[in-house]
Amino acid sequence: MSVLVDALKDCGALQFGDFTLASGAKSKYYIDIKKASTNPKVLKLIAESMAEQLHTTDIKVDRIAGIVLGSIPLATALSLETGIPYVMVRKEKKDHGTGKMIEGVLNPGEKVLVVEDVITSAGSSVTSIGILRDAGAVVEDIFSVIDREAGGAEALKEIGVRFLPLVRASELLE
């Protein structure tokens, strides 16, 4: 994955300073995946890497799920790369329109691959997987671009989900 590590660094996704993460944790570095997912070359590389990972792990899914907002470009790109349809999972219900938590077509019993940008504690991932499962989806696997190696893998294992990151924070920080 050194090509992806280099691409993430080259697009400015890795930043140093004093940051507060979505989990509330403090960090001396931040991984701004939106810099990567808004760069067509890096986004394509991420999608190709995830598609390859799907192939090499022999995971078969009916749908891909992206969590609003950060992982939607990733889910879209992976869907375009593989031809697998995707759904979008909201973090909270809208108070207008249909009020759905899942946008797109999801049929009960379908196997869904969740894609994430960065996983730290996996709190939002666990919540989103719960929403998908409540809607009848079978969720056994999650891909992310980055694993910050801060407890997310353990949290996902606790709910019976295999976590397959493309890059670990330790690799990015080398």
Side-chain angles (χ1 to χ4, degrees), residues 12-64:
L14 180 61
Q15 300 171 14
F16 294 95
D18 292 313
F19 301 96
T20 302
L21 307 176
S23 65
K26 301 290 185 192
S27 179
K28 293 291 181 192
Y29 72 95
Y30 181 70
I31 303 161
D32 186 353
I33 288 296
K34 286 162 192 70
K35 285 196 176 201
S37 64
T38 56
N39 178 314
K41 289 179 182 168
V42 181
L43 180 59
K44 182 160 181 54
L45 180 59
I46 291 168
E48 289 169 347
S49 299
M50 285 188 174
E52 177 65 23
Q53 187 164 268
L54 232 131
H55 177 71
T56 58
T57 54
D58 203 31
I59 295 171
K60 305 286 185 230
V61 296
D62 302 299
R63 305 260 177 229
I64 296 162

mmCIF file of all heavy atoms in Angstrom, residues 12-64:
data_model
loop_
_atom_site.group_PDB
_atom_site.id
_atom_site.type_symbol
_atom_site.label_atom_id
_atom_site.label_comp_id
_atom_site.label_asym_id
_atom_site.label_seq_id
_atom_site.Cartn_x
_atom_site.Cartn_y
_atom_site.Cartn_z
ATOM 1 N N GLY A 12 -1.800 16.065 0.854
ATOM 2 C CA GLY A 12 -1.930 16.897 2.054
ATOM 3 C C GLY A 12 -2.898 16.355 3.083
ATOM 4 O O GLY A 12 -3.302 17.082 4.000
ATOM 5 N N ALA A 13 -3.273 15.087 2.987
ATOM 6 C CA ALA A 13 -4.230 14.512 3.928
ATOM 7 C C ALA A 13 -3.660 14.391 5.340
ATOM 8 O O ALA A 13 -4.391 14.495 6.319
ATOM 9 C CB ALA A 13 -4.714 13.148 3.442
ATOM 10 N N LEU A 14 -2.352 14.184 5.451
ATOM 11 C CA LEU A 14 -1.716 14.059 6.761
ATOM 12 C C LEU A 14 -1.258 15.433 7.229
ATOM 13 O O LEU A 14 -0.450 16.092 6.559
ATOM 14 C CB LEU A 14 -0.527 13.085 6.687
ATOM 15 C CG LEU A 14 0.243 12.859 7.985
ATOM 16 C CD1 LEU A 14 -0.657 12.268 9.070
ATOM 17 C CD2 LEU A 14 1.447 11.964 7.734
ATOM 18 N N GLN A 15 -1.789 15.849 8.387
ATOM 19 C CA GLN A 15 -1.464 17.171 8.925
ATOM 20 C C GLN A 15 -1.016 17.031 10.373
ATOM 21 O O GLN A 15 -1.477 16.142 11.084
ATOM 22 C CB GLN A 15 -2.696 18.078 8.864
ATOM 23 C CG GLN A 15 -3.223 18.269 7.458
ATOM 24 C CD GLN A 15 -4.573 18.991 7.429
ATOM 25 O OE1 GLN A 15 -5.002 19.568 8.409
ATOM 26 N NE2 GLN A 15 -5.237 18.944 6.274
ATOM 27 N N PHE A 16 -0.130 17.923 10.793
ATOM 28 C CA PHE A 16 0.370 17.897 12.171
ATOM 29 C C PHE A 16 -0.011 19.178 12.887
ATOM 30 O O PHE A 16 -0.079 20.245 12.290
ATOM 31 C CB PHE A 16 1.895 17.697 12.172
ATOM 32 C CG PHE A 16 2.302 16.344 11.648
ATOM 33 C CD1 PHE A 16 2.658 16.180 10.317
ATOM 34 C CD2 PHE A 16 2.299 15.229 12.473
ATOM 35 C CE1 PHE A 16 3.015 14.938 9.812
ATOM 36 C CE2 PHE A 16 2.645 13.976 11.994
ATOM 37 C CZ PHE A 16 3.007 13.826 10.660
ATOM 38 N N GLY A 17 -0.309 19.058 14.185
ATOM 39 C CA GLY A 17 -0.720 20.186 15.007
ATOM 40 C C GLY A 17 -1.466 19.667 16.216
ATOM 41 O O GLY A 17 -1.257 18.531 16.647
ATOM 42 N N ASP A 18 -2.371 20.481 16.751
ATOM 43 C CA ASP A 18 -3.208 20.068 17.880
ATOM 44 C C ASP A 18 -4.648 19.955 17.381
ATOM 45 O O ASP A 18 -5.242 20.955 16.969
ATOM 46 C CB ASP A 18 -3.116 21.078 19.024
ATOM 47 C CG ASP A 18 -1.739 21.093 19.670
ATOM 48 O OD1 ASP A 18 -1.229 19.983 19.956
ATOM 49 O OD2 ASP A 18 -1.180 22.187 19.877
ATOM 50 N N PHE A 19 -5.183 18.728 17.425
ATOM 51 C CA PHE A 19 -6.506 18.463 16.867
ATOM 52 C C PHE A 19 -7.388 17.745 17.881
ATOM 53 O O PHE A 19 -6.897 16.983 18.712
ATOM 54 C CB PHE A 19 -6.400 17.585 15.613
ATOM 55 C CG PHE A 19 -5.556 18.191 14.521
ATOM 56 C CD1 PHE A 19 -4.218 17.844 14.381
ATOM 57 C CD2 PHE A 19 -6.095 19.120 13.644
ATOM 58 C CE1 PHE A 19 -3.432 18.399 13.378
ATOM 59 C CE2 PHE A 19 -5.316 19.677 12.640
ATOM 60 C CZ PHE A 19 -3.990 19.324 12.512
ATOM 61 N N THR A 20 -8.695 17.994 17.792
ATOM 62 C CA THR A 20 -9.691 17.226 18.534
ATOM 63 C C THR A 20 -10.426 16.381 17.507
ATOM 64 O O THR A 20 -10.969 16.908 16.529
ATOM 65 C CB THR A 20 -10.683 18.151 19.271
ATOM 66 O OG1 THR A 20 -9.941 18.996 20.160
ATOM 67 C CG2 THR A 20 -11.698 17.332 20.059
ATOM 68 N N LEU A 21 -10.413 15.084 17.712
ATOM 69 C CA LEU A 21 -11.046 14.148 16.773
ATOM 70 C C LEU A 21 -12.541 14.027 17.052
ATOM 71 O O LEU A 21 -13.014 14.450 18.105
ATOM 72 C CB LEU A 21 -10.362 12.778 16.889
ATOM 73 C CG LEU A 21 -8.839 12.791 16.741
ATOM 74 C CD1 LEU A 21 -8.278 11.403 16.970
ATOM 75 C CD2 LEU A 21 -8.428 13.327 15.379
ATOM 76 N N ALA A 22 -13.265 13.430 16.117
ATOM 77 C CA ALA A 22 -14.706 13.235 16.276
ATOM 78 C C ALA A 22 -15.018 12.438 17.545
ATOM 79 O O ALA A 22 -16.052 12.645 18.179
ATOM 80 C CB ALA A 22 -15.278 12.519 15.052
ATOM 81 N N SER A 23 -14.101 11.560 17.922
ATOM 82 C CA SER A 23 -14.283 10.751 19.133
ATOM 83 C C SER A 23 -14.097 11.576 20.404
ATOM 84 O O SER A 23 -14.389 11.108 21.495
ATOM 85 C CB SER A 23 -13.282 9.592 19.135
ATOM 86 O OG SER A 23 -11.956 10.100 19.224
ATOM 87 N N GLY A 24 -13.586 12.815 20.255
ATOM 88 C CA GLY A 24 -13.300 13.665 21.399
ATOM 89 C C GLY A 24 -11.853 13.580 21.843
ATOM 90 O O GLY A 24 -11.387 14.396 22.644
ATOM 91 N N ALA A 25 -11.139 12.594 21.322
ATOM 92 C CA ALA A 25 -9.727 12.421 21.683
ATOM 93 C C ALA A 25 -8.885 13.550 21.094
ATOM 94 O O ALA A 25 -9.218 14.118 20.061
ATOM 95 C CB ALA A 25 -9.221 11.072 21.168
ATOM 96 N N LYS A 26 -7.795 13.861 21.780
ATOM 97 C CA LYS A 26 -6.835 14.855 21.300
ATOM 98 C C LYS A 26 -5.756 14.133 20.507
ATOM 99 O O LYS A 26 -5.398 12.997 20.814
ATOM 100 C CB LYS A 26 -6.196 15.604 22.465
ATOM 101 C CG LYS A 26 -7.197 16.331 23.358
ATOM 102 C CD LYS A 26 -7.801 17.514 22.657
ATOM 103 C CE LYS A 26 -8.707 18.293 23.625
ATOM 104 N NZ LYS A 26 -9.508 19.266 22.927
ATOM 105 N N SER A 27 -5.237 14.792 19.468
ATOM 106 C CA SER A 27 -4.210 14.169 18.643
ATOM 107 C C SER A 27 -3.236 15.217 18.125
ATOM 108 O O SER A 27 -3.620 16.358 17.888
ATOM 109 C CB SER A 27 -4.861 13.450 17.460
ATOM 110 O OG SER A 27 -3.886 12.852 16.631
ATOM 111 N N LYS A 28 -1.996 14.790 17.930
ATOM 112 C CA LYS A 28 -0.958 15.656 17.355
ATOM 113 C C LYS A 28 -0.950 15.571 15.832
ATOM 114 O O LYS A 28 -0.200 16.284 15.180
ATOM 115 C CB LYS A 28 0.429 15.275 17.907
ATOM 116 C CG LYS A 28 0.576 15.573 19.381
ATOM 117 C CD LYS A 28 0.596 17.058 19.628
ATOM 118 C CE LYS A 28 0.772 17.388 21.098
ATOM 119 N NZ LYS A 28 0.501 18.796 21.371
ATOM 120 N N TYR A 29 -1.774 14.670 15.279
ATOM 121 C CA TYR A 29 -1.894 14.588 13.821
ATOM 122 C C TYR A 29 -3.351 14.375 13.445
ATOM 123 O O TYR A 29 -4.159 13.911 14.237
ATOM 124 C CB TYR A 29 -1.003 13.475 13.247
ATOM 125 C CG TYR A 29 -1.483 12.069 13.541
ATOM 126 C CD1 TYR A 29 -2.270 11.375 12.621
ATOM 127 C CD2 TYR A 29 -1.154 11.441 14.726
ATOM 128 C CE1 TYR A 29 -2.715 10.096 12.893
ATOM 129 C CE2 TYR A 29 -1.590 10.167 15.004
ATOM 130 C CZ TYR A 29 -2.379 9.492 14.093
ATOM 131 O OH TYR A 29 -2.824 8.228 14.361
ATOM 132 N N TYR A 30 -3.658 14.768 12.221
ATOM 133 C CA TYR A 30 -5.019 14.647 11.698
ATOM 134 C C TYR A 30 -4.919 14.111 10.278
ATOM 135 O O TYR A 30 -4.008 14.482 9.535
ATOM 136 C CB TYR A 30 -5.702 16.015 11.699
ATOM 137 C CG TYR A 30 -7.123 15.993 11.193
ATOM 138 C CD1 TYR A 30 -8.141 15.393 11.924
ATOM 139 C CD2 TYR A 30 -7.453 16.574 9.965
ATOM 140 C CE1 TYR A 30 -9.454 15.376 11.454
ATOM 141 C CE2 TYR A 30 -8.761 16.560 9.495
ATOM 142 C CZ TYR A 30 -9.751 15.957 10.250
ATOM 143 O OH TYR A 30 -11.041 15.935 9.789
ATOM 144 N N ILE A 31 -5.833 13.230 9.939
ATOM 145 C CA ILE A 31 -5.870 12.698 8.583
ATOM 146 C C ILE A 31 -7.139 13.235 7.927
ATOM 147 O O ILE A 31 -8.243 12.813 8.252
ATOM 148 C CB ILE A 31 -5.837 11.152 8.589
ATOM 149 C CG1 ILE A 31 -4.585 10.678 9.333
ATOM 150 C CG2 ILE A 31 -5.862 10.629 7.158
ATOM 151 C CD1 ILE A 31 -4.627 9.260 9.799
ATOM 152 N N ASP A 32 -6.954 14.195 7.052
ATOM 153 C CA ASP A 32 -8.067 14.857 6.360
ATOM 154 C C ASP A 32 -8.355 14.094 5.070
ATOM 155 O O ASP A 32 -7.874 14.453 3.997
ATOM 156 C CB ASP A 32 -7.702 16.311 6.074
ATOM 157 C CG ASP A 32 -8.862 17.097 5.502
ATOM 158 O OD1 ASP A 32 -9.918 16.492 5.190
ATOM 159 O OD2 ASP A 32 -8.714 18.329 5.353
ATOM 160 N N ILE A 33 -9.157 13.043 5.201
ATOM 161 C CA ILE A 33 -9.447 12.197 4.047
ATOM 162 C C ILE A 33 -10.241 12.956 2.985
ATOM 163 O O ILE A 33 -10.201 12.605 1.813
ATOM 164 C CB ILE A 33 -10.168 10.899 4.485
ATOM 165 C CG1 ILE A 33 -9.183 9.981 5.194
ATOM 166 C CG2 ILE A 33 -10.788 10.175 3.324
ATOM 167 C CD1 ILE A 33 -8.055 9.477 4.317
ATOM 168 N N LYS A 34 -10.914 14.022 3.376
ATOM 169 C CA LYS A 34 -11.645 14.807 2.373
ATOM 170 C C LYS A 34 -10.681 15.413 1.347
ATOM 171 O O LYS A 34 -11.045 15.596 0.191
ATOM 172 C CB LYS A 34 -12.527 15.842 3.041
ATOM 173 C CG LYS A 34 -13.741 15.159 3.665
ATOM 174 C CD LYS A 34 -14.413 16.019 4.692
ATOM 175 C CE LYS A 34 -15.415 15.249 5.504
ATOM 176 N NZ LYS A 34 -14.853 14.271 6.422
ATOM 177 N N LYS A 35 -9.447 15.665 1.747
ATOM 178 C CA LYS A 35 -8.443 16.125 0.771
ATOM 179 C C LYS A 35 -8.148 15.018 -0.237
ATOM 180 O O LYS A 35 -7.861 15.282 -1.393
ATOM 181 C CB LYS A 35 -7.152 16.557 1.468
ATOM 182 C CG LYS A 35 -7.288 17.885 2.144
ATOM 183 C CD LYS A 35 -5.955 18.465 2.490
ATOM 184 C CE LYS A 35 -6.203 19.850 3.073
ATOM 185 N NZ LYS A 35 -5.062 20.702 3.022
ATOM 186 N N ALA A 36 -8.219 13.777 0.214
ATOM 187 C CA ALA A 36 -7.994 12.639 -0.678
ATOM 188 C C ALA A 36 -9.237 12.341 -1.509
ATOM 189 O O ALA A 36 -9.145 12.137 -2.721
ATOM 190 C CB ALA A 36 -7.598 11.406 0.134
ATOM 191 N N SER A 37 -10.406 12.348 -0.874
ATOM 192 C CA SER A 37 -11.632 11.942 -1.586
ATOM 193 C C SER A 37 -12.141 13.004 -2.556
ATOM 194 O O SER A 37 -12.975 12.712 -3.408
ATOM 195 C CB SER A 37 -12.729 11.547 -0.602
ATOM 196 O OG SER A 37 -13.121 12.641 0.193
ATOM 197 N N THR A 38 -11.621 14.224 -2.463
ATOM 198 C CA THR A 38 -11.997 15.257 -3.430
ATOM 199 C C THR A 38 -10.950 15.406 -4.530
ATOM 200 O O THR A 38 -11.104 16.222 -5.431
ATOM 201 C CB THR A 38 -12.220 16.617 -2.738
ATOM 202 O OG1 THR A 38 -11.044 16.976 -2.016
ATOM 203 C CG2 THR A 38 -13.419 16.563 -1.787
ATOM 204 N N ASN A 39 -9.902 14.589 -4.447
ATOM 205 C CA ASN A 39 -8.860 14.557 -5.474
ATOM 206 C C ASN A 39 -9.143 13.332 -6.350
ATOM 207 O O ASN A 39 -9.044 12.199 -5.880
ATOM 208 C CB ASN A 39 -7.494 14.437 -4.795
ATOM 209 C CG ASN A 39 -6.342 14.345 -5.769
ATOM 210 O OD1 ASN A 39 -6.390 13.596 -6.736
ATOM 211 N ND2 ASN A 39 -5.285 15.089 -5.493
ATOM 212 N N PRO A 40 -9.526 13.514 -7.617
ATOM 213 C CA PRO A 40 -9.948 12.374 -8.441
ATOM 214 C C PRO A 40 -8.920 11.248 -8.545
ATOM 215 O O PRO A 40 -9.290 10.079 -8.529
ATOM 216 C CB PRO A 40 -10.227 12.979 -9.817
ATOM 217 C CG PRO A 40 -10.098 14.439 -9.691
ATOM 218 C CD PRO A 40 -9.561 14.776 -8.343
ATOM 219 N N LYS A 41 -7.647 11.596 -8.621
ATOM 220 C CA LYS A 41 -6.620 10.548 -8.749
ATOM 221 C C LYS A 41 -6.506 9.722 -7.475
ATOM 222 O O LYS A 41 -6.386 8.499 -7.521
ATOM 223 C CB LYS A 41 -5.268 11.162 -9.111
ATOM 224 C CG LYS A 41 -5.220 11.676 -10.528
ATOM 225 C CD LYS A 41 -3.881 12.294 -10.868
ATOM 226 C CE LYS A 41 -3.931 12.829 -12.303
ATOM 227 N NZ LYS A 41 -2.805 13.667 -12.632
ATOM 228 N N VAL A 42 -6.537 10.397 -6.328
ATOM 229 C CA VAL A 42 -6.424 9.680 -5.053
ATOM 230 C C VAL A 42 -7.708 8.891 -4.783
ATOM 231 O O VAL A 42 -7.653 7.741 -4.340
ATOM 232 C CB VAL A 42 -6.095 10.645 -3.892
ATOM 233 C CG1 VAL A 42 -5.947 9.883 -2.578
ATOM 234 C CG2 VAL A 42 -4.819 11.436 -4.188
ATOM 235 N N LEU A 43 -8.865 9.490 -5.078
ATOM 236 C CA LEU A 43 -10.142 8.786 -4.894
ATOM 237 C C LEU A 43 -10.180 7.520 -5.749
ATOM 238 O O LEU A 43 -10.602 6.457 -5.285
ATOM 239 C CB LEU A 43 -11.317 9.706 -5.240
ATOM 240 C CG LEU A 43 -12.714 9.096 -5.095
ATOM 241 C CD1 LEU A 43 -12.968 8.614 -3.672
ATOM 242 C CD2 LEU A 43 -13.768 10.107 -5.518
ATOM 243 N N LYS A 44 -9.718 7.607 -6.974
ATOM 244 C CA LYS A 44 -9.685 6.432 -7.851
ATOM 245 C C LYS A 44 -8.751 5.365 -7.288
ATOM 246 O O LYS A 44 -9.088 4.177 -7.288
ATOM 247 C CB LYS A 44 -9.259 6.823 -9.266
ATOM 248 C CG LYS A 44 -9.260 5.637 -10.235
ATOM 249 C CD LYS A 44 -9.322 6.084 -11.665
ATOM 250 C CE LYS A 44 -9.346 4.947 -12.656
ATOM 251 N NZ LYS A 44 -10.379 3.954 -12.460
ATOM 252 N N LEU A 45 -7.605 5.785 -6.770
ATOM 253 C CA LEU A 45 -6.660 4.847 -6.166
ATOM 254 C C LEU A 45 -7.289 4.150 -4.953
ATOM 255 O O LEU A 45 -7.140 2.935 -4.769
ATOM 256 C CB LEU A 45 -5.375 5.578 -5.767
ATOM 257 C CG LEU A 45 -4.280 4.740 -5.121
ATOM 258 C CD1 LEU A 45 -3.820 3.608 -6.043
ATOM 259 C CD2 LEU A 45 -3.102 5.636 -4.759
ATOM 260 N N ILE A 46 -8.013 4.903 -4.139
ATOM 261 C CA ILE A 46 -8.703 4.320 -2.984
ATOM 262 C C ILE A 46 -9.733 3.297 -3.453
ATOM 263 O O ILE A 46 -9.798 2.176 -2.934
ATOM 264 C CB ILE A 46 -9.369 5.417 -2.117
ATOM 265 C CG1 ILE A 46 -8.302 6.257 -1.412
ATOM 266 C CG2 ILE A 46 -10.344 4.801 -1.104
ATOM 267 C CD1 ILE A 46 -8.820 7.532 -0.776
ATOM 268 N N ALA A 47 -10.541 3.663 -4.455
ATOM 269 C CA ALA A 47 -11.572 2.756 -4.972
ATOM 270 C C ALA A 47 -10.948 1.493 -5.560
ATOM 271 O O ALA A 47 -11.434 0.379 -5.325
ATOM 272 C CB ALA A 47 -12.431 3.467 -6.012
ATOM 273 N N GLU A 48 -9.876 1.657 -6.312
ATOM 274 C CA GLU A 48 -9.190 0.497 -6.888
ATOM 275 C C GLU A 48 -8.619 -0.399 -5.787
ATOM 276 O O GLU A 48 -8.698 -1.633 -5.878
ATOM 277 C CB GLU A 48 -8.065 0.951 -7.828
ATOM 278 C CG GLU A 48 -8.569 1.568 -9.112
ATOM 279 C CD GLU A 48 -7.472 2.251 -9.932
ATOM 280 O OE1 GLU A 48 -6.356 2.469 -9.417
ATOM 281 O OE2 GLU A 48 -7.756 2.578 -11.097
ATOM 282 N N SER A 49 -8.071 0.205 -4.745
ATOM 283 C CA SER A 49 -7.503 -0.552 -3.628
ATOM 284 C C SER A 49 -8.593 -1.317 -2.878
ATOM 285 O O SER A 49 -8.400 -2.482 -2.511
ATOM 286 C CB SER A 49 -6.759 0.379 -2.669
ATOM 287 O OG SER A 49 -5.697 1.031 -3.326
ATOM 288 N N MET A 50 -9.736 -0.664 -2.657
ATOM 289 C CA MET A 50 -10.845 -1.343 -1.981
ATOM 290 C C MET A 50 -11.416 -2.458 -2.851
ATOM 291 O O MET A 50 -11.752 -3.534 -2.348
ATOM 292 C CB MET A 50 -11.935 -0.346 -1.582
ATOM 293 C CG MET A 50 -11.577 0.500 -0.397
ATOM 294 S SD MET A 50 -12.987 1.498 0.164
ATOM 295 C CE MET A 50 -12.290 2.214 1.654
ATOM 296 N N ALA A 51 -11.516 -2.220 -4.163
ATOM 297 C CA ALA A 51 -12.025 -3.253 -5.076
ATOM 298 C C ALA A 51 -11.086 -4.461 -5.080
ATOM 299 O O ALA A 51 -11.542 -5.611 -5.066
ATOM 300 C CB ALA A 51 -12.187 -2.685 -6.486
ATOM 301 N N GLU A 52 -9.795 -4.197 -5.079
ATOM 302 C CA GLU A 52 -8.798 -5.277 -5.027
ATOM 303 C C GLU A 52 -8.926 -6.062 -3.721
ATOM 304 O O GLU A 52 -8.859 -7.285 -3.705
ATOM 305 C CB GLU A 52 -7.390 -4.703 -5.191
ATOM 306 C CG GLU A 52 -6.283 -5.725 -5.078
ATOM 307 C CD GLU A 52 -6.282 -6.783 -6.179
ATOM 308 O OE1 GLU A 52 -6.839 -6.548 -7.272
ATOM 309 O OE2 GLU A 52 -5.716 -7.867 -5.937
ATOM 310 N N GLN A 53 -9.129 -5.328 -2.626
ATOM 311 C CA GLN A 53 -9.291 -5.973 -1.317
ATOM 312 C C GLN A 53 -10.544 -6.840 -1.297
ATOM 313 O O GLN A 53 -10.542 -7.937 -0.742
ATOM 314 C CB GLN A 53 -9.338 -4.902 -0.229
ATOM 315 C CG GLN A 53 -9.343 -5.440 1.180
ATOM 316 C CD GLN A 53 -9.002 -4.372 2.179
ATOM 317 O OE1 GLN A 53 -7.846 -4.200 2.527
ATOM 318 N NE2 GLN A 53 -9.994 -3.646 2.641
ATOM 319 N N LEU A 54 -11.607 -6.366 -1.926
ATOM 320 C CA LEU A 54 -12.840 -7.156 -2.026
ATOM 321 C C LEU A 54 -12.558 -8.456 -2.768
ATOM 322 O O LEU A 54 -13.005 -9.530 -2.357
ATOM 323 C CB LEU A 54 -13.901 -6.341 -2.791
ATOM 324 C CG LEU A 54 -15.228 -6.207 -2.092
ATOM 325 C CD1 LEU A 54 -15.651 -4.767 -2.099
ATOM 326 C CD2 LEU A 54 -16.266 -7.026 -2.776
ATOM 327 N N HIS A 55 -11.794 -8.344 -3.846
ATOM 328 C CA HIS A 55 -11.456 -9.505 -4.673
ATOM 329 C C HIS A 55 -10.543 -10.483 -3.923
ATOM 330 O O HIS A 55 -10.797 -11.685 -3.906
ATOM 331 C CB HIS A 55 -10.799 -9.040 -5.978
ATOM 332 C CG HIS A 55 -10.363 -10.162 -6.860
ATOM 333 N ND1 HIS A 55 -11.251 -10.961 -7.544
ATOM 334 C CD2 HIS A 55 -9.128 -10.632 -7.134
ATOM 335 C CE1 HIS A 55 -10.576 -11.878 -8.210
ATOM 336 N NE2 HIS A 55 -9.286 -11.702 -7.988
ATOM 337 N N THR A 56 -9.492 -9.974 -3.305
ATOM 338 C CA THR A 56 -8.517 -10.862 -2.654
ATOM 339 C C THR A 56 -9.074 -11.531 -1.402
ATOM 340 O O THR A 56 -8.642 -12.623 -1.052
ATOM 341 C CB THR A 56 -7.204 -10.129 -2.300
ATOM 342 O OG1 THR A 56 -7.498 -9.038 -1.442
ATOM 343 C CG2 THR A 56 -6.493 -9.638 -3.542
ATOM 344 N N THR A 57 -10.019 -10.875 -0.718
ATOM 345 C CA THR A 57 -10.627 -11.476 0.468
ATOM 346 C C THR A 57 -11.835 -12.330 0.097
ATOM 347 O O THR A 57 -12.412 -12.983 0.955
ATOM 348 C CB THR A 57 -11.066 -10.397 1.480
ATOM 349 O OG1 THR A 57 -11.923 -9.461 0.819
ATOM 350 C CG2 THR A 57 -9.867 -9.686 2.081
ATOM 351 N N ASP A 58 -12.218 -12.288 -1.189
ATOM 352 C CA ASP A 58 -13.353 -13.053 -1.707
ATOM 353 C C ASP A 58 -14.660 -12.727 -0.982
ATOM 354 O O ASP A 58 -15.496 -13.587 -0.759
ATOM 355 C CB ASP A 58 -13.060 -14.556 -1.662
ATOM 356 C CG ASP A 58 -13.918 -15.327 -2.653
ATOM 357 O OD1 ASP A 58 -14.266 -14.763 -3.710
ATOM 358 O OD2 ASP A 58 -14.278 -16.484 -2.355
ATOM 359 N N ILE A 59 -14.814 -11.455 -0.614
ATOM 360 C CA ILE A 59 -16.047 -11.001 0.024
ATOM 361 C C ILE A 59 -17.073 -10.744 -1.070
ATOM 362 O O ILE A 59 -16.797 -10.043 -2.036
ATOM 363 C CB ILE A 59 -15.799 -9.723 0.852
ATOM 364 C CG1 ILE A 59 -14.850 -10.026 2.018
ATOM 365 C CG2 ILE A 59 -17.111 -9.134 1.353
ATOM 366 C CD1 ILE A 59 -14.382 -8.795 2.763
ATOM 367 N N LYS A 60 -18.252 -11.303 -0.915
ATOM 368 C CA LYS A 60 -19.362 -11.106 -1.857
ATOM 369 C C LYS A 60 -20.438 -10.285 -1.151
ATOM 370 O O LYS A 60 -20.903 -10.676 -0.078
ATOM 371 C CB LYS A 60 -19.949 -12.444 -2.309
ATOM 372 C CG LYS A 60 -18.922 -13.402 -2.898
ATOM 373 C CD LYS A 60 -18.482 -12.988 -4.280
ATOM 374 C CE LYS A 60 -17.559 -14.014 -4.890
ATOM 375 N NZ LYS A 60 -16.347 -13.447 -5.429
ATOM 376 N N VAL A 61 -20.804 -9.167 -1.747
ATOM 377 C CA VAL A 61 -21.826 -8.307 -1.148
ATOM 378 C C VAL A 61 -22.853 -7.881 -2.187
ATOM 379 O O VAL A 61 -22.568 -7.868 -3.383
ATOM 380 C CB VAL A 61 -21.210 -7.055 -0.474
ATOM 381 C CG1 VAL A 61 -20.330 -7.451 0.697
ATOM 382 C CG2 VAL A 61 -20.445 -6.202 -1.453
ATOM 383 N N ASP A 62 -24.045 -7.544 -1.687
ATOM 384 C CA ASP A 62 -25.122 -7.050 -2.541
ATOM 385 C C ASP A 62 -25.119 -5.530 -2.632
ATOM 386 O O ASP A 62 -25.580 -4.951 -3.614
ATOM 387 C CB ASP A 62 -26.482 -7.499 -1.982
ATOM 388 C CG ASP A 62 -26.581 -9.007 -1.870
ATOM 389 O OD1 ASP A 62 -26.470 -9.677 -2.913
ATOM 390 O OD2 ASP A 62 -26.738 -9.513 -0.736
ATOM 391 N N ARG A 63 -24.618 -4.891 -1.579
ATOM 392 C CA ARG A 63 -24.605 -3.429 -1.496
ATOM 393 C C ARG A 63 -23.346 -2.957 -0.783
ATOM 394 O O ARG A 63 -22.778 -3.662 0.035
ATOM 395 C CB ARG A 63 -25.789 -2.888 -0.694
ATOM 396 C CG ARG A 63 -27.135 -3.318 -1.173
ATOM 397 C CD ARG A 63 -27.821 -2.271 -1.998
ATOM 398 N NE ARG A 63 -29.080 -2.860 -2.454
ATOM 399 C CZ ARG A 63 -29.499 -2.840 -3.691
ATOM 400 N NH1 ARG A 63 -28.813 -2.212 -4.616
ATOM 401 N NH2 ARG A 63 -30.621 -3.409 -4.038
ATOM 402 N N ILE A 64 -23.011 -1.722 -1.077
ATOM 403 C CA ILE A 64 -21.969 -0.991 -0.359
ATOM 404 C C ILE A 64 -22.712 0.088 0.421
ATOM 405 O O ILE A 64 -23.705 0.632 -0.074
ATOM 406 C CB ILE A 64 -20.978 -0.347 -1.354
ATOM 407 C CG1 ILE A 64 -20.239 -1.439 -2.145
ATOM 408 C CG2 ILE A 64 -20.009 0.585 -0.640
ATOM 409 C CD1 ILE A 64 -19.581 -0.935 -3.423
#
